[in-house]
Amino acid sequence: MALRVALVGIGKIALDQHVPAIAASPDWELVATVSRKGRVPGVPGFTSFEAMLAAHSEVQVVSLCLPPVPRFAPAEAALMAGRHVMLEKPPGATLAEVQALEALAAARGLTLYATWHSRMARAVAAAKGWLSGRRVLRARIDWREDVRKWHPGQTWVFEPGGMGVFDPGINALSILTEILPAPVHLTGAVLSFPANRQTPIAAELTFTGGVSAGFDWRQEGPQTWDIEVETAGGGRMALRMGGNVLEVDGHAEAGEADIMGEYPALYARMAALVRAGAREVDLAPMVHVADAMTLGRREVVEDFHF
Ligand code: NAP
């Protein structure tokens, strides 16, 4: 029988990815939404989370597509009401609030799934397999995109807790932490803050193990989502197009940046977790972001306007 889900925060990612992924899966049925303005045609819509829960006792799973700062309260309320919870990335505004949710879910025997959609990109599992058993000498992430294209008018990304360029950069870190055969930790960062904003628009990160990363939200034209790795013995691997194309020793597979397969894979994973009575909360990508905010040297750059 299909799992009955309520979607909360009907905005860009809910409409672009969650609604089509749920509609295409026999495992899922969308029975209600909660959003102040957003609606899904043909689905009962509420502005109050509590009113939705009261009206739809059949909801088993709550999937939260809100930005990170307003996400904790409905996540906690859903778990308190005995519902399983699926979190968009990054899983929260702080590490401690996600740990609190995990403890609550565990105490109540509920599923909590902190999703990382980029880990579901087509070539990530193959890259992890190729790196397994190899020694990494050097890895470089270049994640440069146009914030106006991907977050049109979304002022929350530049408010405290919005994470700035780490909102996309954490996708790269979610892949890095998935594929590296041994963990690394951050040793330094330079964070570029527009003079009129609270979060960085660019970041340069240095990690142990020869790993570094450059994130920039000011790239117009072609977008760059690359991870290049050199291993002992001379082997080279690259993941391009946001984890969708694997290149080994310079030979690339055909492919393009396309996240359409990622959300069906997330919902399949959530269905499996619920049926197994399991939880999956990996905070490793967010630890690197928190460390960058802790250690980072601040550089002020020109004002940013959408
Ligand atoms: P969004 O469209 O700006 O926000 C989603 C919805 O959340 C909004 O439409 C709004 O709906 C509600 N909302 C926004 N701010 C709120 C607040 N302060 N309090 C209560 N509700 C609020 O953002 P998004 O792009 O969908 O991103 C949401 C999450 O998905 C983020 O964590 C992001 O990292 C992740 N994500 C985004 C993308 C992307 O391409 N944009 C891709 C993958 C993952 P109402 O006004 O109707 O309440």
Side-chain angles (χ1 to χ4, degrees):
M1 190 169 169
L3 289 162
R4 290 172 297 266
V5 59
L7 269 188
V8 182
I10 306 302
K12 188 171 188 317
I13 199 61
L15 294 172
D16 286 358
Q17 298 294 336
H18 289 254
V19 171
I22 292 167
S25 170
D27 278 339
W28 291 94
E29 184 189 355
L30 179 59
V31 296
T33 64
V34 183
S35 215
R36 296 164 307 182
K37 298 191 294 287
R39 294 284 179 278
V40 175
V43 178
F46 294 78
T47 52
S48 152
F49 186 70
E50 288 67 29
M52 183 280 292
L53 284 183
H56 288 277
S57 57
E58 80 278 23
V59 166
Q60 298 157 283
V61 174
V62 174
S63 180
L64 296 165
C65 313
L66 299 156
V69 169
R71 205 182 296 137
F72 177 78
E76 183 184 44
L79 292 169
M80 295 293 284
R83 318 303 165 92
H84 307 289
V85 169
M86 183 166 166
L87 302 169
E88 251 301 346
K89 51 62 55 171
T94 68
L95 293 165
E97 69 177 33
V98 185
Q99 289 168 337
L101 292 177
E102 190 179 13
L104 182 58
R108 297 186 165 237
L110 295 166
T111 293
L112 180 68
Y113 180 23
T115 65
W116 297 108
H117 68 86
S118 292
R119 286 185 175 175
M120 299 300 191
R122 274 195 302 272
V124 170
K128 181 175 182 171
W130 189 85
L131 282 171
S132 157
R134 288 183 156 88
R135 191 160 64 84
V136 172
L137 297 180
R138 177 188 164 276
R140 173 69 192 172
I141 299 173
D142 284 294
W143 222 254
R144 297 194 300 270
E145 60 177 57
D146 183 350
V147 62
R148 292 186 179 90
K149 175 170 179 180
W150 302 105
H151 295 276
Q154 292 180 1
T155 50
W156 62 263
V157 297
F158 286 113
E159 293 300 320
M163 289 195 190
V165 76
F166 290 107
D167 179 85
I170 204 168
N171 297 335
L173 297 174
S174 75
I175 296 176
L176 183 82
T177 48
E178 175 70 10
I179 66 173
L180 281 187
V184 296
H185 62 266
L186 187 126
T187 55
V190 179
L191 310 178
S192 304
F193 287 78
N196 63 337
R197 300 288 178 176
Q198 297 290 329
T199 61
I201 197 164
E204 179 63 35
L205 312 180
T206 309
F207 298 85
T208 53
V211 178
S212 67
F215 303 150
D216 202 321
W217 242 348
R218 297 166 295 189
Q219 176 148 308
E220 295 174 0
Q223 310 282 282
T224 305
W225 298 294
D226 288 344
I227 302 176
E228 297 178 343
V229 184
E230 282 175 33
T231 60
R236 285 183 303 127
M237 182 221 81
L239 268 176
R240 305 203 187 278
M241 306 282 180
N244 282 291
V245 173
L246 177 64
E247 189 180 292
V248 173
D249 294 330
H251 302 292
E253 297 167 347
E256 57 186 21
D258 173 12
I259 67 169
M260 286 313 285
E262 297 174 12
Y263 281 78
L266 294 180
Y267 276 94
R269 178 83 189 127
M270 181 65 181
L273 288 170
V274 170
R275 288 181 176 132
R279 281 168 291 286
E280 187 174 306
V281 181
D282 178 11
L283 288 172
M286 199 165 152
V287 167
H288 291 320
V289 174
D291 284 359
M293 297 293 200
T294 305
L295 272 185
R297 190 158 57 78
R298 177 188 172 93
E299 175 186 271
V300 177
V301 298
E302 67 180 14
D303 283 5
F304 176 82
H305 299 284
F306 278 104

